[in-house]
Amino acid sequence: MNLFDELNIKYQVPIIYSDNQPAIRIASAKSAKGRTRHINVKYQFVRQLVKEDKIKIRYVSTENNIADLFTKALSDTRFSYLMEKINETLKNLRN
């Protein structure tokens, strides 16, 4: 149980979008296998949250990954495209 449940506040499970398919598979795996057993404990926290359905991780293509706007040097064209995507997302959230 968390604070929202205790206060009877309805909420949606947060969704993390990633273009890193191996990372998504590792985070969504039911158990550690092979080399993934040696992943640092702090990263296992994400796996636990996914397992408990407290967060969801979904794939987004690199082309549509708006996080790149904040993490990479981009061409003017790419920057404008991602800004349009952010504006669309914000409009959808307001409606």
Side-chain angles (χ1 to χ4, degrees), residues 18-29:
S18 175
D19 60 357
N20 187 327
Q21 291 181 356
I24 294 170
R25 280 194 296 276
I26 290 169
S28 302

Side-chain angles (χ1 to χ4, degrees), residues 19 59-66 68 78 81-82 85:
D19 60 357
Y59 175 75
V60 63
S61 68
T62 300
E63 180 180 318
N64 294 316
N65 191 352
I66 56 180
D68 287 353
R78 180 96 174 111
Y81 173 76
L82 292 176
K85 286 284 200 187

Side-chain angles (χ1 to χ4, degrees), residues 69 74-84:
L69 189 63
L74 304 170
S75 68
D76 291 342
T77 307
R78 180 96 174 111
F79 178 84
S80 296
Y81 173 76
L82 292 176
M83 283 301 296
E84 286 178 29

Side-chain angles (χ1 to χ4, degrees), residues 33-49:
K33 295 179 183 173
R35 291 185 233 172
T36 61
R37 286 180 292 164
H38 304 291
I39 293 175
N40 194 321
V41 173
K42 67 182 176 182
Y43 301 114
Q44 299 295 342
F45 178 69
V46 173
R47 281 174 97 171
Q48 187 66 30
L49 293 175

